[in-house]
Amino acid sequence: MATKKNNTIYYLIGALLLGGAGFFIYRKMKDKDEPITPPGPAPLPPGPAPLPPKPSPSGPSPASSAKITELQNLMIKRYEQLNRKTEYNANDAFNPPGWGNKSTNALKYLQPTNFASRGIPNANNIDAYITSIKKDVETAAKEVQQQQTKQQTQTDLIALANSMEKHLNAKPGKNKIKLLADAKAYAFQWDNARKRYVLLDTFKNFSKGNTFVAKDIVNRGNGTLGIKYSDGKRYFIPASTFIAIS
């Protein structure tokens, strides 16, 4: 019995050895049949970090509400000076508040060249608009003042000429007027067709201290007194150049 048992053990060990050798030979044969894959390229080093995106360009900042109001008030004043206040006024400028299409159109009219180059008022250009329109307003105001002064001066001269004429006629031939300064006067002649004095191309020089009586003088009615000559010519001098004497 012992001998039979030992033989069985030997058979089992032999089977195991044979099976292992067969598996080893099978793996070797399989490895020979499979193609060998070459190794791939080495990975590339990491590239530079991407640049941050550029900020999108933005337009100029809007002008402050105080500056907009200042510009609109100047524009309203300028339209008044031009006698066009029905076309742009406070209602157009401030209803609704802020800058609107009516203000844009009004600015185009007042500043066509500047508007073409500068566009809608903003923080960068509104001071230039204010300066430009303020200059126009001040210039126009000065012209009005000068015109009013001129009208006042003309009124005063007419009153003075009338007063001198009255002085001469109070005592004809005795009361006189005298030149306070040398004067150069161009000749005028009455035109019966036109019913007015016509300027000629000749003149006379009169000296300081020359005196004249009623028969020598004609009041033109515009603040000047004309020195009469027998040929019909008249030489008009502002009444302020004379002084009344007796």
Side-chain angles (χ1 to χ4, degrees), residues 143-163:
E143 289 174 354
V144 170
Q145 181 63 40
Q146 290 173 343
Q147 184 64 29
Q148 291 174 343
T149 301
K150 183 178 179 181
Q151 291 174 350
Q152 183 61 41
T153 301
Q154 184 77 6
T155 301
D156 293 342
L157 281 174
I158 291 172
L160 179 59
N162 292 340
S163 179

Side-chain angles (χ1 to χ4, degrees), residues 176-211:
K176 302 175 183 179
I177 58 174
K178 181 173 70 173
L179 281 173
L180 294 170
D182 294 342
K184 176 181 178 179
Y186 280 88
F188 287 79
Q189 190 145 22
W190 181 258
D191 187 329
N192 284 315
R194 294 181 177 87
K195 301 302 180 184
R196 63 179 177 83
Y197 285 102
V198 176
L199 176 65
L200 305 179
D201 59 357
T202 58
F203 64 88
K204 283 186 179 293
N205 290 310
F206 298 90
S207 300
K208 176 182 178 180
N210 289 164
T211 59

